[in-house]
Amino acid sequence: MTERSTLTIVGVVSFYFCISLSLVFLNKALMKGLEFPYPLFISWYQLIIAQVAIVVFGWLGQRIKIFPLYLFAPWEWDTQIARKVLPLSLVFVAMLSFNNICLQHVEVSMYQVYMALKFINKVLGSTTIDNCLDPNPFAFI
């Protein structure tokens, strides 16, 4: 792996963590501070904004060749691919919805502990499953 691709990965992951944490605080401020009691509407609205951003940035990425924009591929639709990823998409939307419902009833600090444990369990679980499928017991090292 080249140094540029490593820096790109680190940048993308850092950007994701910053945006994710910002959205958690924004959602909590909306639900508790402004007393907006509709977490599913918040999830829906954020998904719509994300889709619009993907389409716009993909369109701009084709026309303007500067660093952040050329990373976005143009938006395209393929019905066969859409059918294949539909179950995963439904699970993702359910996860976002339940995360906002959970955030409505717990404090941000407890929610962050939950998210950190979820990430650790996901890594450990995938490593365990990979080791069960791989005959080499040290494949994860």
Side-chain angles (χ1 to χ4, degrees):
M1 191 176 326
T2 66
E3 186 174 327
R4 179 167 171 87
S5 64
T6 302
L7 288 175
T8 302
I9 291 170
V10 168
V12 168
V13 170
S14 300
F15 179 72
Y16 170 77
F17 281 136
C18 291
I19 294 299
S20 178
L21 189 60
S22 300
L23 274 177
V24 166
F25 284 111
L26 174 69
N27 290 345
K28 188 63 175 181
L30 282 173
M31 287 185 273
K32 289 294 181 184
L34 298 177
E35 297 179 8
F36 188 77
Y38 306 110
L40 296 179
F41 178 79
I42 293 172
S43 299
W44 175 80
Y45 183 76
Q46 288 171 348
L47 288 169
I48 295 297
I49 294 299
Q51 181 63 40
V52 169
I54 287 170
V55 171
V56 168
F57 287 147
W59 182 81
L60 286 174
Q62 286 183 310
R63 286 151 184 77
I64 304 171
K65 300 295 182 194
I66 59 175
F67 170 63
L69 290 179
Y70 71 76
L71 295 175
F72 291 94
W75 187 80
E76 57 187 42
W77 179 262
D78 186 351
T79 306
Q80 289 180 331
I81 294 174
R83 283 188 187 134
K84 289 179 183 177
V85 299
L86 179 64
L88 181 63
S89 298
L90 292 175
V91 168
F92 179 73
V93 170
M95 179 196 70
L96 286 178
S97 300
F98 285 122
N99 281 346
N100 277 345
I101 291 170
C102 173
L103 187 59
Q104 185 179 22
H105 298 290
V106 298
E107 293 301 318
V108 173
S109 58
M110 192 63 189
Y111 180 79
Q112 288 301 326
V113 169
Y114 156 73
M115 293 302 284
L117 291 175
K118 183 175 84 168
F119 180 73
I120 291 168
N121 285 330
K122 198 180 299 186
V123 170
L124 291 175
S126 64
T127 303
T128 303
I129 290 172
D130 288 346
N131 286 340
C132 289
L133 299 176
D134 193 348
N136 180 4
F138 301 106
F140 64 93
I141 295 177

